[in-house]
Amino acid sequence: MLTIFAENQTFISMTLQNHPFDDQPFRLPRSFNEKENTCRALFNAVISSGQTFWHVCTPGTFQSVIFRSPNEYRFAVNAVAMSAHDAGVRVLTFEIMSNHVHIIVISKDKATAIAFFETLKQRLIRYFRELRSPRDLSGFVSDPIPIETLDSLRNQIAYTNRNNYVIDPDHTPFSFPYGANAYYFNPFAKMLTGKRFEEMSDRSKMRLLHSKKIEYPDDFRVLDDMILPTSFCDISLGERFFRDARHYMYKISREVESYKEIAELLGDLAYYTDDELMGVIYSICKKNYGLDNPSFLNVAQKNEVARTLHYDYKADNVKISRLLRLPRNAVDQLFPMSAKK
């Protein structure tokens, strides 16, 4: 049993099982160095136990839309829960996007991470076949990427948890319902409860899982036809790789450059909010031209900034035109291949 003394002077108890690093002694450290060393010791303990962190993701570039309705998203979450249980991987976080997924897992080897993904894919294929609405999943492929450093793990958890937020202006990192993002450092979300799996009839279980195989943990919690991420994601462990909630918030909202690096690593498109890209533009203005405001840029300078946004930050022509107040046709002339998209 691990007892964590929280900032608000309450005790939160949790039991983690199955891995040697679960028995690492833990107390709430106070100084920056104590917090950082505690995170690093936990990361090293996972690695020393023979486990590896993996980013299981699929490219959104060549895959058409998969999930088109709330019910389809809910089943995708359920499929992640079932597949993780069957493959024996430990999920730290995940996010289901309309045409791709990001899932951070701990497993003993790459083969296990691959088995987890392939099980997930086959469940989705059977589900859409059952709906008589098959989807082309030819682009839904994954070559799990090992996460080898603590900083990389932090960045990739944050990258996953903000994935929907950066392309959907109607969501925050805490409001998108089809992932574990809403539960990180959010005690109110963790209070959500639903019906325990053991309380459901066999018929209800088969309807929920779209499967005759219903042997899953009795303490799975189901709410609104979806297995709650708190039932199968080790969110408490994921949180412990950050120094505190403030550190996590900084990661999901401020460290723009780290997401560019992760996107390049994953072969993903880098997504940034308008506010984040405006921060980049202001930084470039100050650093390269000694200007305090992008409105002072001349046309040639704006074109240079546009190239940086296009090549380094993968901003599309519409966004570049809007943020730099350049005519759309002028931006299309700079990047004609993007103009065709």
Side-chain angles (χ1 to χ4, degrees):
M1 174 69 70
L2 241 67
T3 302
I4 303 175
F5 185 69
E7 292 280 354
N8 61 0
Q9 305 299 304
T10 62
F11 283 93
I12 303 173
S13 297
M14 63 182 181
T15 302
L16 304 174
Q17 300 174 343
N18 301 329
H19 296 294
F21 57 85
D22 294 336
D23 297 325
Q24 292 294 308
F26 184 83
R27 67 180 181 83
L28 184 72
R30 293 298 177 184
S31 72
F32 176 95
N33 286 338
E34 281 184 315
K35 291 179 179 180
E36 183 66 16
N37 290 338
T38 299
C39 295
R40 202 162 296 280
L42 178 61
F43 180 87
N44 292 337
V46 175
I47 301 301
S48 297
S49 73
Q51 306 290 307
T52 303
F53 299 92
W54 300 92
H55 194 143
V56 179
C57 59
T58 61
T61 310
F62 305 110
Q63 174 63 55
S64 58
V65 170
I66 302 171
F67 309 107
R68 303 172 184 170
S69 71
N71 283 341
E72 292 174 1
Y73 275 100
R74 291 187 191 104
F75 178 75
V77 173
N78 295 342
V80 171
M82 291 185 286
S83 302
H85 180 271
D86 291 348
V89 303
R90 193 170 190 170
V91 179
L92 291 185
T93 194
F94 73 100
E95 192 141 313
I96 307 294
M97 304 294 286
S98 64
N99 71 339
H100 68 284
V101 299
H102 288 277
I103 311 170
I104 308 295
V105 303
I106 300 175
S107 72
K108 60 183 180 180
D109 51 35
K110 186 172 184 177
T112 304
I114 291 174
F116 157 68
F117 174 77
E118 290 300 327
T119 301
L120 171 62
K121 182 175 181 176
Q122 290 305 312
R123 277 199 166 91
L124 294 176
I125 291 173
R126 288 195 299 270
Y127 171 72
F128 288 116
R129 187 182 298 147
E130 178 184 325
L131 294 184
R132 297 184 179 178
S133 180
R135 306 291 153 83
D136 177 10
L137 295 181
S138 57
F140 193 73
V141 295
S142 182
D143 183 16
I145 298 170
I147 303 173
E148 299 174 333
T149 67
L150 174 60
D151 287 341
S152 181
L153 176 63
R154 288 165 167 168
N155 289 338
Q156 294 192 50
I157 289 175
Y159 184 89
T160 296
N161 286 357
R162 74 195 296 275
N163 212 242
N164 180 268
Y165 151 70
V166 296
I167 62 171
D168 186 346
D170 293 328
H171 278 294
T172 74
F174 297 96
S175 66
F176 184 64
Y178 308 115
N181 50 286
Y183 302 90
Y184 266 69
F185 295 97
N186 187 353
F188 301 104
K190 292 171 185 171
M191 292 170 63
L192 286 174
T193 59
K195 181 175 288 188
R196 285 173 60 89
F197 200 63
E198 65 178 350
E199 298 171 349
M200 298 174 63
S201 68
D202 288 352
R203 177 174 294 182
S204 295
K205 292 176 182 179
M206 287 188 283
R207 181 188 62 81
L208 176 78
L209 304 179
H210 290 264
S211 172
K212 293 181 180 180
K213 180 182 183 302
I214 57 175
E215 294 78 26
Y216 290 97
D218 288 340
D219 57 357
F220 269 9
R221 295 271 181 174
V222 178
L223 182 65
D224 194 22
D225 284 335
M226 189 174 82
I227 300 172
L228 287 172
T230 45
S231 296
F232 64 91
C233 292
D234 204 336
I235 294 164
S236 296
L237 179 61
E239 289 175 337
R240 288 171 57 197
F241 294 111
F242 297 89
R243 291 189 293 272
D244 46 37
R246 183 182 298 167
H247 180 210
Y248 174 75
M249 285 299 296
Y250 179 83
K251 283 288 184 183
I252 64 172
S253 62
R254 297 292 298 276
E255 287 209 333
V256 176
E257 290 297 329
S258 65
Y259 304 125
K260 179 161 67 75
E261 296 169 1
I262 294 172
E264 292 171 353
L265 173 67
L266 302 179
D268 202 359
L269 291 176
Y271 290 111
Y272 306 93
T273 66
D274 281 9
D275 288 343
E276 289 170 339
L277 284 180
M278 280 306 301
V280 170
I281 292 169
Y282 271 88
S283 176
I284 293 172
C285 286
K286 188 70 173 178
K287 180 179 179 181
N288 294 359
Y289 309 111
L291 300 175
D292 293 326
N293 195 303
S295 62
F296 299 143
L297 294 170
N298 60 40
V299 174
Q301 291 169 334
K302 284 188 176 183
N303 287 344
E304 290 176 357
V305 176
R307 291 186 180 92
T308 299
L309 297 180
H310 175 80
Y311 292 112
D312 291 354
Y313 294 89
K314 305 298 186 288
D316 61 41
N317 289 10
V318 174
K319 184 166 286 193
I320 291 171
S321 173
R322 181 173 66 249
L323 296 181
L324 289 176
R325 297 185 179 180
L326 282 169
R328 173 62 189 277
N329 62 344
V331 178
D332 287 346
Q333 288 177 12
L334 284 174
F335 315 113
M337 295 302 294
S338 297
K340 297 177 181 178
K341 296 180 180 180

